[in-house]
Amino acid sequence: MSKIKDPLLAGKGKAELEWARKNMPLLEAIRAKFQKEKPLKGEVISVALHLEKKTGVLLQALAAGGAKVYASSCNPLTTDDSVAAALAQSGIEVFAWAGQSQQEYYSCLNSVLDAQPTIIIDDGGDLINLVHTKRRKLLSAIKGACEETTTGVMRVLAMQKAGKLEIPVFAINNAYSKFLLDNQFGTAQSTVEAVMRATNKLIAGKTVVVVGYGWCGRGIASRMKGLGANVIVVETDASFGNGPAGVHKALLALYDGFRVMDMRKAAKEGDIFVTATGNINVISSDHFKLMKNGAILCNAGHFNVEIDEPSLRKAAERVWQPKENITAYQLKGKKTLYLLSEGRLVNLARPSGQGHPLEIMDGSFALQALCCRLLAFSKRLPAGLHPVPQEIDQEVARLLLKSVGIRLDKPTKMQQKYAESFEYGT
Ligand code: NAI
């Protein structure tokens, strides 16, 4: 029997979804409103998101809003099969399972596109890329897309710069209610949790090298330090986009109290390495040679390219899997390095990766649901990368505060007037 039709698995998944729903008050409120108002009636939403319980709660809210939902994962290792089975039972068309080959992964992406979407939800840009290349016939019916992560937004931006972006895309990642919270605190907690689950090793006293001090890296470094690790940060002397450059991030790390150095130097010191750069081969064959016997490597960046696994495999005399989520590479001279979750998103690759905490995804996915509603309602927006409207971004933050019983004072008229008097540079 295929896993997706297994009633026992579906029962387990249903319990997972119920637990998530109880702890995601924003999405639950959106689902209730959508159920009544049916703002997504007639929409076909094709989705590529890590298919686990929090995503399930989002998908059920979209379906309650009247959409027909087709779901695949955005990564071959991150589907929770029990949630996938429960979702399939609840009427969502699911094309995902844990442990896909690359070919199966792309075949599932194509299956969700076969539904002829009017809206796309993407994480990493694979669906958006497919409809602009091999599935171009679908473009004319697509009202727009929502992109969840940093790497996906960068890919969409590159398409826009090349004049190749033909649909509107909401940059969900760039909303404050997303990257300030999800990338930083969500990735941090789930990455630390996944390293501990996969290895069962003590973090205190270890030297942990965090490569990339962006939003994700900053969170991981801070939480590893909180557990007693001696944290080293590696940044790059380069600048990507308009934001702070690697040199600024390196100073930020230094002033946050971390040792900062280049990768070759850090390679000799680390017990545990975590990459979070969105870049390629940031840990490569030059570095493996320098590492200590027993060093543990993992990646929290979107694609499995940050640690040069093919080179590691090539250099190894023996490769084996001592346990789930760990691959061992015995190099010449009998040194062994351990790679977690094949170098894919360690915090999401199952079974040790459980994804971000519920409260974090409640905020991120509330942005997704509200931007889908906007795409359904708006006259066709111009092609291009669009920021999440400020009202939605601030409303989600306000509701997240409300969900934990916090409300803030509104400014007095005098304060408002005083603050606004500076807005024109006077
Ligand atoms: P960011 O742009 O804020 O940070 C990336 C940092 O890496 C920058 O400071 C950059 O200077 C640095 N960097 C780039 N190349 C480097 C190199 N060769 N050596 C050292 N540092 C280098 O990006 P953010 O938001 O932190 O995302 C990082 C990656 O994590 C992206 O791929 C993103 O899609 C992914 N992501 C993963 C999540 C997860 O659940 N694991 C959640 C959110 C984002």
Side-chain angles (χ1 to χ4, degrees):
M1 188 191 340
S2 102
K3 282 195 242 172
I4 212 119
K5 293 201 174 131
D6 182 336
L8 276 178
L9 258 186
K12 182 171 177 278
K14 216 170 146 208
E16 291 284 342
L17 282 166
E18 271 165 24
W19 173 251
R21 201 176 299 123
K22 278 202 175 74
N23 289 283
M24 298 179 85
L26 271 61
L27 272 186
E28 191 50 15
I30 289 172
R31 191 182 64 83
K33 202 165 155 51
F34 277 14
Q35 180 94 50
K36 224 162 55 196
E37 297 172 2
K38 302 284 177 207
L40 301 174
K41 191 157 180 261
E43 304 299 339
V44 177
I45 306 186
S46 294
V47 177
L49 290 170
H50 303 291
L51 208 63
E52 38 95 305
K53 53 182 169 293
K54 284 86 75 180
T55 307
V57 177
L58 167 67
L59 301 187
Q60 290 185 329
L62 299 174
K68 197 89 187 82
V69 180
Y70 294 76
S72 61
S73 184
C74 58
N75 185 294
L77 298 187
T78 57
T79 299
D80 180 334
D81 288 326
S82 71
V83 170
L87 288 173
Q89 232 182 36
S90 79
I92 288 174
E93 301 287 339
V94 177
F95 300 87
W97 58 92
Q100 297 172 321
S101 67
Q102 201 70 356
Q103 201 186 359
E104 289 167 335
Y105 169 70
Y106 278 103
S107 144
C108 287
L109 292 184
N110 275 302
S111 296
V112 297
L113 290 179
D114 288 343
Q116 307 198 317
T118 55
I119 294 174
I120 283 176
I121 299 183
D122 212 354
D123 183 335
D126 281 345
L127 281 185
I128 295 172
N129 182 55
L130 272 176
V131 297
H132 283 82
T133 51
K134 296 186 178 138
R135 306 296 305 268
R136 290 189 54 79
K137 281 193 186 143
L138 299 173
L139 274 172
S140 60
I142 297 173
K143 294 181 178 172
C146 296
E147 172 50 55
E148 173 77 5
T149 197
T150 315
T151 288
V153 169
M154 285 169 79
R155 287 177 83 188
V156 172
L157 201 58
M159 286 169 74
Q160 175 163 290
K161 281 188 185 153
K164 290 188 173 154
L165 184 61
E166 297 181 43
I167 56 171
V169 179
F170 278 117
I172 304 293
N173 181 74
N174 296 6
Y176 291 111
S177 307
K178 204 290 187 169
F179 73 85
L180 284 180
L181 315 174
D182 174 314
N183 297 27
Q184 192 167 198
F185 302 105
T187 311
Q189 179 168 319
S190 54
T191 298
V192 169
E193 183 187 8
V195 171
M196 295 197 303
R197 270 174 184 259
T199 65
N200 204 201
K201 292 192 71 145
L202 185 69
I203 302 291
K206 299 280 187 308
T207 297
V208 175
V209 176
V210 177
V211 191
Y213 202 67
W215 292 106
C216 294
R218 190 170 193 208
I220 295 164
S222 143
R223 292 298 182 258
M224 287 290 190
K225 183 181 179 180
L227 283 169
N230 166 13
V231 176
I232 292 173
V233 169
V234 173
E235 257 294 340
T236 175
D237 188 354
S239 165
F240 305 105
N242 301 323
V247 285
H248 299 127
K249 302 285 182 69
L251 283 167
L252 195 61
L254 184 67
Y255 298 163
D256 277 340
F258 299 113
R259 286 196 291 154
V260 178
M261 58 187 75
D262 64 38
M263 190 60 225
R264 284 180 68 82
K265 210 164 162 202
K268 294 180 199 154
E269 295 208 27
D271 300 305
I272 300 174
F273 294 82
V274 189
T275 56
T277 68
N279 211 338
I280 189 165
N281 288 359
V282 297
I283 300 186
S284 65
S285 50
D286 283 351
H287 309 123
F288 302 136
K289 286 182 212 147
L290 303 170
M291 287 179 182
K292 294 191 230 175
N293 181 31
I296 292 165
L297 291 84
C298 65
N299 167 51
H302 187 77
F303 284 117
N304 60 332
V305 297
E306 305 213 6
I307 299 167
D308 184 4
E309 193 277 340
S311 294
L312 185 56
R313 187 169 285 272
K314 209 166 145 204
E317 284 177 338
R318 190 161 91 89
V319 179
W320 74 103
Q321 200 160 2
K323 70 185 275 297
E324 267 181 329
N325 287 107
I326 304 185
T327 312
Y329 300 79
Q330 187 180 303
L331 307 183
K332 290 179 192 111
K334 304 291 180 232
K335 174 167 88 178
T336 302
L337 302 181
Y338 297 99
L339 179 65
L340 306 190
S341 303
E342 302 173 17
R344 295 187 188 273
L345 290 158
V346 69
N347 61 326
L348 281 145
R350 303 197 70 82
S352 57
Q354 297 284 305
H356 288 9
L358 302 163
E359 298 89 332
I360 292 282
M361 293 320 293
D362 198 20
S364 299
F365 284 164
L367 292 167
Q368 287 279 9
L370 297 177
C371 285
C372 278
R373 185 177 62 176
L374 203 58
L375 284 170
F377 271 148
S378 314
K379 280 203 189 128
R380 203 183 162 94
L381 296 167
L385 194 62
H386 292 259
V388 171
Q390 210 181 52
E391 315 83 73
I392 292 184
D393 195 358
Q394 291 186 5
E395 186 57 11
V396 166
R398 202 166 284 117
L399 290 171
L400 282 171
L401 284 171
K402 195 173 158 204
S403 74
V404 286
I406 297 173
R407 67 170 284 282
L408 307 178
D409 287 334
K410 296 254 182 244
T412 62
K413 275 193 183 140
M414 184 193 246
Q415 286 168 342
Q416 187 74 34
K417 211 169 152 202
Y418 182 80
E420 279 171 5
S421 69
F422 293 110
E423 279 191 2
Y424 302 100
T426 50

